[in-house]
Amino acid sequence: MKYSTEEFMICALARELHDGETIAVGNSSPVPAAAALLAKETHAPRAQTYIMGYEREWPFEGTKEFFDYIQRGLVDVFFLSGAQIDCWGNINLHVIGDYARPKVRLPGGAGSSMVYYRCKRIFLFKTDHHAKGFPERLDFVSSSASPDFRQEDAGRLEAVYTPLAVLRPAPLTRRLQLSAIAPGTTAEEVQGKTGFDLGIEGDVPRIEAPSPQQLDVLRSKVKAALQEIYPAFVKGGIGNG
């Protein structure tokens, strides 16, 4: 069964979400939004989802109330991205190049630095995978992974999802390693498009392809809901595999 790159990422991310969790999605995040809705419609019917821009899944008066809710430690899962992600899962949302004279000035971190610490599980995502987006060292640190992942109330980076691979923190060092690769991709290709060593040893598992059930629900119920928030994304990425 054919599927688009976007559908592949959505279905893979959805499998990471658990029934009964409180899952929040910020702005400009159509892939995580679709993943949260898909999980709720399939294997996680008791999940509570809060999706910015989707009135039926947004009980807050504004973003301040939303961030206050997160600060109280009431959100289990959140999704972040960045122009750059380094080998520790730190992200850059501010500048490319020198801060005083940047090549590119980005929108900024918003509440990401707080969210990284206060949500129990964090997933990073990028819709492309190139070495410049995964450097060994960031040009600017907008938000960082918790330095003490053993602390009970600290957020925990679970994984980084891209169209090519899943990267996960190593158990002891917390440095990102290659955990799984997409169908049609090789570990060598992923390493060649990553600016830091991925610690590849032996065969790397494949990411499970979307199931017929997932695609059916995604292209019907989830697509209809997502149309209200991200119509351009739906037109280009859902049902066009």
Side-chain angles (χ1 to χ4, degrees):
M1 196 170 186
K2 293 183 178 181
Y3 48 84
S4 67
T5 299
E6 293 84 359
E7 290 174 325
F8 173 72
M9 289 188 65
I10 290 165
C11 292
L13 261 178
R15 295 191 198 97
E16 295 273 12
L17 307 178
H18 304 154
D19 197 18
E21 286 188 310
T22 298
I23 303 161
V25 182
N27 63 348
S28 302
S29 301
V31 169
L37 292 170
L38 178 60
K40 192 170 183 178
E41 289 288 349
T42 52
H43 64 275
R46 290 180 293 276
Q48 176 64 64
T49 54
Y50 299 129
I51 300 174
M52 192 175 290
Y54 187 41
E55 291 186 5
R56 283 181 260 179
E57 303 281 349
W58 192 255
F60 307 103
E61 291 293 328
T63 54
K64 181 185 182 303
E65 186 180 346
F66 174 54
F67 286 126
D68 286 348
Y69 187 82
I70 292 175
Q71 280 188 300
R72 291 163 60 194
L74 300 176
V75 172
D76 297 307
V77 181
F78 200 88
F79 308 87
L80 293 170
S81 187
Q84 295 176 324
I85 299 174
D86 71 8
C87 62
W88 305 107
N90 303 319
I91 62 176
N92 175 13
L93 291 161
H94 275 77
V95 296
I96 301 298
D98 179 72
Y99 185 80
R101 302 175 69 87
K103 297 177 182 177
V104 180
R105 188 170 295 280
L106 303 166
S112 63
S113 57
M114 177 274 293
V115 167
Y116 217 140
Y117 277 77
R118 296 304 296 150
C119 295
K120 298 178 180 69
R121 300 201 301 140
I122 294 291
F123 289 93
L124 303 183
F125 70 98
K126 279 181 74 68
T127 54
D128 58 9
H129 193 132
H130 300 287
K132 64 181 181 180
F134 287 95
E136 179 78 26
R137 183 183 177 87
L138 301 182
D139 292 342
F140 185 93
V141 178
S142 302
S143 182
S144 62
S146 171
D148 188 356
F149 59 92
R150 295 158 296 188
Q151 186 177 326
E152 288 186 4
D153 63 348
R156 182 176 74 243
L157 173 59
E158 293 282 343
V160 182
Y161 271 80
T162 80
L164 298 183
V166 177
L167 314 181
R168 294 186 189 275
L172 295 179
T173 66
R174 303 303 287 174
R175 184 183 170 96
L176 291 175
Q177 294 182 327
L178 184 60
S179 173
I181 55 177
T185 305
T186 66
E188 291 73 22
E189 179 186 357
V190 177
Q191 180 62 83
K193 293 184 176 182
T194 306
F196 52 83
D197 182 67
L198 291 172
I200 300 169
E201 295 181 0
D203 294 333
V204 180
R206 296 280 178 188
I207 303 169
E208 184 180 347
S211 70
Q213 181 205 13
Q214 282 185 310
L215 289 175
D216 180 62
V217 175
L218 176 58
R219 293 170 178 176
S220 55
K221 294 180 180 179
V222 174
K223 181 177 181 178
L226 207 65
Q227 181 73 38
E228 298 182 26
I229 328 168
Y230 299 109
F233 174 82
V234 168
K235 184 177 180 180
I238 305 296
N240 298 308

